[in-house]
């Protein structure tokens, strides 16, 4: 389960991450990742923040909550890959309601890797 301190709760955090983060689209998810967005020192930051957007287009309340639980669990497993000052918003697409948990987990892992590569300076990129 995703610890409370890693959950994004403020709408301003969601807005800023979606606006300024790097977007990575997949079959069932759209991931917005903003690296190093907090100006505070690493000691003052509790860790990366993750927010979920699961709209009504995904399904009824039961389906939306099931998708949210799956995404929170997958995000908790991937927290070590994120820096303490990172923010990530995961938007579930309508097809995520019928997707397997393993598929969602793999798409999330790929999205983090892809977004991280896009934000690296050109000199640090690997061939």
């Amino acid at each position: 389960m995703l610890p409370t301190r890693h959950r994004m709760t403020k709408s301003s955090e969601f807005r800023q991450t979606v606006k300024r983060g790097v977007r990575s689209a997949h079959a069932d998810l759209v991931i917005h990742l903003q690296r190093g967005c907090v100006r505070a020192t690493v000691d003052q930051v509790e860790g990366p923040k993750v927010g979920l957007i699961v709209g009504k287009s995904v399904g009824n309340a039961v389906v939306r909550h099931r998708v949210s639980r799956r995404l929170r669990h997958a995000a908790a497993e991937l927290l070590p890959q994120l820096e303490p000052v990172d923010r990530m918003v995961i938007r579930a697409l309508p097809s995520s309601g019928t997707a397997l948990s393993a598929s969602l987990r793999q798409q999330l892992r790929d999205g983090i890797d892809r977004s991280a590569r896009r934000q690296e300076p050109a000199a640090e990129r690997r061939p």
Side-chain angles (χ1 to χ4, degrees):
M1 189 52 84
L2 188 63
T4 305
R5 67 177 186 204
H6 295 294
R7 293 183 189 178
M8 197 179 298
T9 56
K10 298 178 184 175
S11 62
S12 61
E13 291 177 327
F14 277 88
R15 197 176 318 111
Q16 181 183 13
T17 304
V18 170
K19 183 178 179 181
R20 296 186 181 151
V22 173
R23 181 180 175 272
S24 175
H26 300 274
D28 304 310
L29 304 172
V30 176
I31 299 158
H32 299 270
L33 180 65
Q34 186 179 12
R35 293 260 182 197
C37 57
V38 178
R39 292 188 176 104
T41 63
V42 176
D43 297 334
Q44 296 172 339
V45 178
E46 294 180 358
K49 297 275 190 176
V50 177
L52 301 176
I53 301 172
V54 183
K56 287 185 177 182
S57 64
V58 173
N60 62 22
V62 174
V63 174
R64 291 193 311 268
H65 284 89
R66 184 176 59 229
V67 169
S68 296
R69 283 193 306 272
R70 289 177 175 177
L71 290 175
R72 276 196 306 269
H73 185 73
E77 292 176 3
L78 299 174
L79 282 177
Q81 293 182 8
L82 299 173
E83 297 295 323
V85 291
D86 290 349
R87 286 188 188 150
M88 179 172 58
V89 171
I90 305 164
R91 179 184 298 273
L93 298 176
S95 59
S96 64
T98 57
L100 299 174
S101 295
S103 172
L104 294 174
R105 190 177 303 114
Q106 184 61 42
Q107 290 177 43
L108 188 55
R109 187 177 298 120
D110 291 345
I112 291 172
D113 292 342
R114 200 183 303 175
S115 297
R117 278 196 310 267
R118 287 182 188 167
Q119 291 184 355
E120 284 180 358
E124 294 180 15
R125 288 190 184 151
R126 292 175 200 94

